[in-house]
Short mmCIF file of all heavy atoms in Angstrom, two decimals:
data_model
loop_
_atom_site.label_atom_id
_atom_site.label_comp_id
_atom_site.label_asym_id
_atom_site.label_seq_id
_atom_site.Cartn_x
_atom_site.Cartn_y
_atom_site.Cartn_z
N VAL A 64 190.88 194.20 106.52
CA VAL A 64 191.05 192.80 106.88
C VAL A 64 189.72 192.14 107.10
O VAL A 64 189.38 191.08 106.55
CB VAL A 64 191.95 192.64 108.12
CG1 VAL A 64 191.93 191.18 108.59
CG2 VAL A 64 193.37 193.07 107.83
N ASP A 72 191.87 183.91 103.40
CA ASP A 72 192.55 185.18 103.07
C ASP A 72 192.46 186.15 104.23
O ASP A 72 193.39 186.92 104.51
CB ASP A 72 191.93 185.80 101.82
CG ASP A 72 192.16 184.91 100.59
OD1 ASP A 72 193.07 184.03 100.69
OD2 ASP A 72 191.48 185.09 99.58
N ARG A 73 191.32 186.13 104.92
CA ARG A 73 191.12 187.03 106.04
C ARG A 73 192.12 186.70 107.15
O ARG A 73 192.75 187.58 107.72
CB ARG A 73 189.68 186.89 106.52
CG ARG A 73 189.20 188.00 107.40
CD ARG A 73 187.70 187.95 107.55
NE ARG A 73 187.25 186.72 108.18
CZ ARG A 73 186.34 185.90 107.66
NH1 ARG A 73 185.75 186.19 106.51
NH2 ARG A 73 186.00 184.79 108.28
N PHE A 74 192.25 185.42 107.42
CA PHE A 74 193.17 184.98 108.44
C PHE A 74 194.61 185.44 108.10
O PHE A 74 195.32 186.01 108.91
CB PHE A 74 193.13 183.45 108.55
CG PHE A 74 193.99 182.86 109.63
CD1 PHE A 74 193.52 182.72 110.92
CD2 PHE A 74 195.30 182.48 109.36
CE1 PHE A 74 194.31 182.20 111.94
CE2 PHE A 74 196.12 181.93 110.35
CZ PHE A 74 195.59 181.79 111.65
N HIS A 75 194.98 185.21 106.83
CA HIS A 75 196.33 185.58 106.42
C HIS A 75 196.53 187.09 106.48
O HIS A 75 197.59 187.57 106.89
CB HIS A 75 196.62 185.06 105.01
CG HIS A 75 196.95 183.61 105.02
ND1 HIS A 75 198.18 183.15 105.38
CD2 HIS A 75 196.19 182.51 104.76
CE1 HIS A 75 198.18 181.81 105.35
NE2 HIS A 75 196.97 181.42 104.98
N ALA A 76 195.50 187.83 106.09
CA ALA A 76 195.60 189.29 106.09
C ALA A 76 195.79 189.79 107.53
O ALA A 76 196.59 190.69 107.80
CB ALA A 76 194.36 189.91 105.48
N ALA A 77 195.04 189.17 108.47
CA ALA A 77 195.17 189.57 109.87
C ALA A 77 196.57 189.29 110.37
O ALA A 77 197.21 190.11 111.01
CB ALA A 77 194.14 188.82 110.72
N LEU A 78 197.05 188.12 110.00
CA LEU A 78 198.38 187.73 110.44
C LEU A 78 199.45 188.68 109.87
O LEU A 78 200.38 189.11 110.59
CB LEU A 78 198.63 186.28 109.96
CG LEU A 78 199.77 185.54 110.64
CD1 LEU A 78 199.60 185.56 112.15
CD2 LEU A 78 199.78 184.10 110.13
N THR A 79 199.29 189.03 108.60
CA THR A 79 200.21 189.94 107.94
C THR A 79 200.18 191.31 108.63
O THR A 79 201.24 191.94 108.83
CB THR A 79 199.84 190.11 106.45
OG1 THR A 79 199.65 188.81 105.90
CG2 THR A 79 200.91 190.86 105.68
N LEU A 80 198.99 191.74 108.97
CA LEU A 80 198.85 193.03 109.64
C LEU A 80 199.59 193.02 110.97
O LEU A 80 200.37 193.93 111.27
CB LEU A 80 197.34 193.31 109.86
CG LEU A 80 197.00 194.60 110.61
CD1 LEU A 80 197.48 195.84 109.84
CD2 LEU A 80 195.49 194.71 110.79
N PHE A 81 199.37 191.98 111.76
CA PHE A 81 200.08 191.91 113.07
C PHE A 81 201.58 191.79 112.87
O PHE A 81 202.37 192.37 113.60
CB PHE A 81 199.54 190.72 113.88
CG PHE A 81 198.25 191.04 114.60
CD1 PHE A 81 197.06 190.53 114.17
CD2 PHE A 81 198.29 191.87 115.71
CE1 PHE A 81 195.88 190.82 114.83
CE2 PHE A 81 197.07 192.16 116.38
CZ PHE A 81 195.88 191.63 115.94
N GLU A 82 201.96 191.03 111.85
CA GLU A 82 203.39 190.83 111.64
C GLU A 82 204.05 192.16 111.30
O GLU A 82 205.18 192.43 111.74
CB GLU A 82 203.63 189.80 110.52
CG GLU A 82 205.08 189.45 110.42
CD GLU A 82 205.31 188.06 109.82
OE1 GLU A 82 204.53 187.14 110.09
OE2 GLU A 82 206.29 187.94 109.05
N ALA A 83 203.35 193.00 110.51
CA ALA A 83 203.90 194.31 110.19
C ALA A 83 204.11 195.12 111.48
O ALA A 83 205.09 195.84 111.62
CB ALA A 83 202.95 195.03 109.25
N LYS A 84 203.18 194.98 112.40
CA LYS A 84 203.29 195.71 113.68
C LYS A 84 204.48 195.19 114.48
O LYS A 84 205.22 195.98 115.07
CB LYS A 84 201.99 195.57 114.49
CG LYS A 84 200.73 196.02 113.76
CD LYS A 84 200.73 197.50 113.49
CE LYS A 84 199.53 197.91 112.70
NZ LYS A 84 199.65 199.31 112.20
N PHE A 85 204.64 193.87 114.50
CA PHE A 85 205.80 193.32 115.21
C PHE A 85 207.09 193.88 114.61
O PHE A 85 208.02 194.24 115.33
CB PHE A 85 205.84 191.77 115.09
CG PHE A 85 204.73 191.07 115.78
CD1 PHE A 85 204.18 189.90 115.22
CD2 PHE A 85 204.18 191.53 116.97
CE1 PHE A 85 203.15 189.22 115.86
CE2 PHE A 85 203.14 190.85 117.61
CZ PHE A 85 202.64 189.69 117.04
N CYS A 110 188.63 186.30 112.62
CA CYS A 110 189.96 185.80 112.22
C CYS A 110 190.57 184.82 113.21
O CYS A 110 191.74 184.45 113.11
CB CYS A 110 190.94 186.95 112.05
SG CYS A 110 190.30 188.34 111.13
N ARG A 125 194.02 176.49 111.18
CA ARG A 125 194.94 177.47 111.74
C ARG A 125 194.29 178.16 112.91
O ARG A 125 193.06 178.28 112.98
CB ARG A 125 195.29 178.55 110.68
CG ARG A 125 195.90 178.04 109.40
CD ARG A 125 197.35 177.68 109.51
NE ARG A 125 198.23 178.75 109.92
CZ ARG A 125 198.84 179.59 109.10
NH1 ARG A 125 198.63 179.54 107.80
NH2 ARG A 125 199.69 180.50 109.56
N ASP A 126 195.10 178.66 113.81
CA ASP A 126 194.62 179.33 115.00
C ASP A 126 195.43 180.58 115.17
O ASP A 126 196.65 180.56 115.10
CB ASP A 126 194.80 178.36 116.18
CG ASP A 126 194.45 178.94 117.51
OD1 ASP A 126 195.12 179.93 117.93
OD2 ASP A 126 193.51 178.46 118.13
N LEU A 127 194.74 181.70 115.33
CA LEU A 127 195.42 183.00 115.32
C LEU A 127 196.43 183.12 116.48
O LEU A 127 197.52 183.64 116.32
CB LEU A 127 194.40 184.14 115.41
CG LEU A 127 194.98 185.53 115.19
CD1 LEU A 127 195.61 185.70 113.83
CD2 LEU A 127 193.92 186.62 115.41
N ARG A 128 196.07 182.58 117.60
CA ARG A 128 196.94 182.70 118.77
C ARG A 128 198.30 182.04 118.48
O ARG A 128 199.35 182.62 118.68
CB ARG A 128 196.28 182.01 119.99
CG ARG A 128 197.10 182.12 121.22
CD ARG A 128 196.61 181.22 122.34
NE ARG A 128 197.75 181.02 123.23
CZ ARG A 128 198.63 180.07 123.09
NH1 ARG A 128 198.53 179.22 122.10
NH2 ARG A 128 199.64 179.98 123.90
N ARG A 129 198.21 180.81 117.96
CA ARG A 129 199.45 180.09 117.67
C ARG A 129 200.26 180.78 116.56
O ARG A 129 201.47 180.93 116.67
CB ARG A 129 199.12 178.67 117.19
CG ARG A 129 198.37 177.89 118.21
CD ARG A 129 197.83 176.62 117.57
NE ARG A 129 196.80 176.01 118.42
CZ ARG A 129 195.97 175.10 118.02
NH1 ARG A 129 196.00 174.66 116.76
NH2 ARG A 129 195.07 174.59 118.83
N ALA A 130 199.55 181.24 115.55
CA ALA A 130 200.23 181.89 114.43
C ALA A 130 200.89 183.19 114.89
O ALA A 130 202.00 183.51 114.46
CB ALA A 130 199.25 182.16 113.31
N LEU A 131 200.22 183.93 115.78
CA LEU A 131 200.82 185.18 116.29
C LEU A 131 202.07 184.92 117.07
O LEU A 131 203.07 185.62 116.96
CB LEU A 131 199.80 185.90 117.19
CG LEU A 131 198.65 186.62 116.47
CD1 LEU A 131 197.70 187.24 117.49
CD2 LEU A 131 199.17 187.68 115.51
N LYS A 132 202.05 183.85 117.88
CA LYS A 132 203.26 183.51 118.69
C LYS A 132 204.42 183.18 117.76
O LYS A 132 205.55 183.62 117.97
CB LYS A 132 202.96 182.31 119.59
CG LYS A 132 201.91 182.55 120.63
CD LYS A 132 202.54 182.99 121.93
CE LYS A 132 201.44 183.42 122.91
NZ LYS A 132 201.92 184.21 124.00
N ALA A 133 204.12 182.35 116.73
CA ALA A 133 205.18 181.95 115.82
C ALA A 133 205.72 183.16 115.06
O ALA A 133 206.92 183.29 114.83
CB ALA A 133 204.65 180.92 114.83
N SER A 134 204.83 184.11 114.74
CA SER A 134 205.25 185.28 114.00
C SER A 134 206.08 186.22 114.89
O SER A 134 207.15 186.70 114.48
CB SER A 134 204.00 185.98 113.49
OG SER A 134 204.32 187.25 113.02
N ALA A 135 205.64 186.44 116.11
CA ALA A 135 206.36 187.33 117.04
C ALA A 135 207.74 186.78 117.34
O ALA A 135 208.68 187.51 117.61
CB ALA A 135 205.55 187.52 118.31
N GLU A 403 203.75 175.99 113.16
CA GLU A 403 203.58 177.24 112.38
C GLU A 403 204.93 177.77 111.90
O GLU A 403 205.01 178.73 111.17
CB GLU A 403 202.91 178.32 113.24
CG GLU A 403 201.45 178.03 113.59
CD GLU A 403 200.49 178.53 112.52
OE1 GLU A 403 200.95 179.23 111.59
OE2 GLU A 403 199.29 178.19 112.60
#
Side-chain angles (χ1 to χ4, degrees):
Chain A
V64 170
D72 295 344
R73 197 166 61 234
F74 183 88
H75 282 281
L78 198 54
T79 311
L80 177 61
F81 278 106
E82 188 155 323
K84 303 294 175 191
F85 294 145
C110 315
R125 303 282 301 269
D126 175 296
L127 189 61
R128 183 192 157 272
R129 300 169 195 164
L131 285 178
K132 296 266 171 197
S134 168
E403 292 273 351

